[in-house]
Amino acid sequence: MSWAILVYPLATMFLTQYCGHNEHIIDRIKDYLYQMEKTHQYEGYEHYNTMVSKRSGAHLSALAGAILSTQALATIVGAVRLVLDHQIVICVLAVVIETSLILVTANHLRDR
């Protein structure tokens, strides 16, 4: 069971990469719409967004918090399980790998 728990951070790392790709695509579409508005001298939604100084981003903050906290929790639970099974060397190795996955995930989720 501890191995199933320890796979979770790897899966969520790939999920964050997918989410980051989708955000990049959305940003490209926004840029395209803004250029279309400029070309046709239309002050639409994207024009308004460029004038607003505060961007929300709350959904990305919530996603980052949820993913990073559950990754840390899964790592702790897996490590405790391995220690209880007297597999200390594997536990240390797993914690190092899991911590690196959490750092990669945090890098993908940070504000750009």
Side-chain angles (χ1 to χ4, degrees), residues 11-30:
T12 54
M13 181 193 70
F14 290 124
L15 177 66
T16 59
Q17 289 176 344
Y18 177 75
C19 292
H21 173 72
N22 288 346
E23 288 295 319
H24 178 69
I25 297 297
I26 289 170
D27 288 341
R28 287 178 49 198
I29 292 170
K30 286 179 175 180

